Amino acid sequence: MLRVGLTGGIGAGKSTVAGALADLGAVIVDADRIAREVVEPGSEGLAELAAAFGPTVIAADGSLDRAALAARAFADDESRLTLNSILHPRIGARTQEYVQAAPADGILVQDIPLIVEGGMGAAFDLVVVVHVDEAERLRRLTEYRGMEESDVRARMAAQATVEQRRAAADVWLDNGGAPGAIVEDVRTLWIERLIPFERNISEQSGVIAASDIVEANPEWAGQARRAIARLGLATGGRSLAIEHVGPTSVPGQPARDCLDILVTIADAATAQELSAILGGAGFPVDSGATTPDLADLQARAVGNSYRLHRGCDPLRPVAVHLISPA
C-alpha cells in the first residue's frame, strides 16, 4: 500500500484534490470527517464532551454546538487538554480502522490539515501540499464561503507558513490557476508517480537512478532530510546513525540524481532485523548489489557487513547503504 499525506492551508483546495484522487481510484481518509463522526449525536464522544463541558455544548437537535464547545474548551490550557484527551484517541482509533480496511495494493490518501504543524510527514510515503497564495485564499473564503476576514486571517496565522509547508512537501500542487486546472495536475501525479510508486512497493522493486550527471539541485538537501526522517521512524529509534552522504550531499556539486543515505548499525543482529523492516517501509533490498555504489563507502564497508536498499519512489531515487559489523 502507498500511503500519501495530503495537506494545505485553509482555502487552498485540498477537497478538490482529494475528490480528483478519489475519482482516479484512491482511498480517501478525511481527518475532518472523522473528527465529526466521533461526536455524532448519540456517540460516546459527544456524551463525554457534555460531561466534561456541560450540557450547553449540545444543541437542541442533539448535535454538537461547536461554537459553545469552543467557548468552553479553549478558555484555558486545562480545558483544551481535556478536549484533546476526549477527541484525539477516538479520532486515532477511527482513522486506524479506515487505514486497515484499505486494500493492501491500494493508494491510501489521508487528508489531514495539520500534517506540517503536527510534524507527521515521516509517517507517509509521500506528502502532497496544495498551495494557493494567502491573498487568493482570503478572497475565496470571504467571497465564496462567506467567512469573516478577521476569522480567515486568524486561522491562517495559526497554521504553518509557506516555507514550512515547502520543507515538508514531496509534491507541491499550485492551485492558483484557472478553476479545475489542478485536476489535470492530479491526473499527471497519479499516472507518473503514485501508480508506479505503489506498484514498486507491492513488487518490492527499488528504483535505480539514471547514470547521467545532472546540475546540482538545491532541493536535494530537503529531500534527503525527509528520507532520513522516514527511515528514522521506520527503524524505531534503534541504535544507529543515519546521514546523507555522497555527491548529492555537497551543495552546488553536479551529481547523479540519487540520494545516498548511509545507515551505520552497531550490531549484526539489528542489521538483519532492519533490512526486513526497510522493505516494508518502501525501501526494499537490492539483492543484486554486493558492494557499495560509492567509492567513499568502500573503506567503511571493509571488514563489515554491507546491504544496499533502494527507495520505491519512481521520481526520487534513493539508495540506502546499511553498514554493520560482519
Side-chain angles (χ1 to χ4, degrees):
M1 179 191 297
L2 176 67
R3 292 186 63 172
V4 178
L6 174 64
T7 193
I10 181 173
K14 284 191 299 84
S15 297
T16 299
V17 172
L21 287 167
D23 290 343
L24 291 165
V27 176
I28 308 297
V29 177
D30 186 333
D32 284 342
R33 188 184 72 176
I34 291 172
R36 293 191 295 271
E37 285 181 6
V38 299
V39 292
E40 288 177 339
S43 68
E44 290 182 1
L46 185 59
E48 193 165 346
L49 287 177
F53 297 104
T56 57
V57 303
I58 308 295
D61 62 359
S63 65
L64 176 64
D65 186 329
R66 295 183 180 277
L69 175 64
R72 298 292 303 278
F74 295 105
D76 52 63
D77 288 344
E78 184 177 352
S79 296
R80 178 176 52 80
L81 290 173
T82 299
L83 174 68
N84 290 342
S85 71
I86 294 170
L87 296 183
H88 288 182
R90 288 178 168 81
I91 293 171
R94 184 67 62 85
T95 298
Q96 195 58 30
E97 289 175 7
Y98 282 117
V99 170
Q100 291 176 346
D105 60 349
I107 296 174
L108 176 72
V109 177
Q110 291 183 239
D111 181 348
I112 305 175
L114 302 180
I115 284 178
V116 178
E117 292 84 346
M120 295 180 278
F124 301 96
D125 299 303
L126 206 68
V127 171
V128 176
V129 173
V130 186
H131 172 73
V132 175
D133 67 60
E134 187 173 301
E136 177 61 14
R137 287 191 286 140
L138 178 63
R139 186 187 70 82
R140 292 178 183 181
L141 290 167
T142 54
E143 290 186 11
Y144 302 150
R145 293 195 198 174
M147 295 178 65
E148 294 292 332
E149 180 176 335
S150 58
D151 183 23
V152 174
R153 290 190 182 278
R155 295 192 187 202
M156 288 181 177
Q159 294 185 332
T161 65
V162 173
E163 292 74 19
Q164 289 169 328
R165 290 197 183 99
R166 282 197 180 276
D170 299 294
V171 177
W172 187 262
L173 291 178
D174 193 325
N175 192 24
I182 198 170
V183 173
E184 189 56 37
D185 294 335
V186 172
R187 181 178 295 276
T188 299
L189 172 65
W190 179 264
I191 294 171
E192 295 184 359
R193 195 165 191 177
L194 302 190
I195 288 179
F197 199 161
E198 190 286 319
R199 182 172 59 244
N200 289 342
I201 290 175
S202 295
E203 297 176 355
Q204 288 290 276
S205 177
V207 174
I208 300 176
S211 59
D212 299 346
I213 302 298
V214 299
E215 291 299 315
N217 184 344
E219 294 186 6
W220 280 338
Q223 292 168 351
R225 281 194 295 272
R226 293 193 294 274
I228 289 171
R230 289 181 173 113
L231 290 166
L233 183 63
T235 54
R238 289 170 174 81
S239 179
L240 47 82
I242 310 176
E243 57 184 313
H244 182 199
V245 299
T248 59
S249 69
V250 182
Q253 176 174 304
R256 190 167 63 97
D257 190 14
C258 179
L259 302 179
D260 289 287
I261 309 297
L262 174 63
V263 180
T264 305
I265 306 166
D267 62 275
T270 300
Q272 186 83 19
E273 180 186 2
L274 290 185
S275 193
I277 290 173
L278 292 183
F283 297 92
V285 67
D286 185 337
S287 57
T290 56
T291 58
D293 283 355
L294 300 177
D296 66 334
L297 292 181
Q298 295 280 0
R300 304 197 201 193
V302 171
N304 292 317
S305 174
Y306 173 81
R307 292 179 176 85
L308 174 64
H309 288 247
R310 296 191 187 275
C312 291
D313 186 344
L315 299 187
R316 178 58 281 155
V318 177
V320 182
H321 309 268
L322 271 63
I323 294 180
S324 66

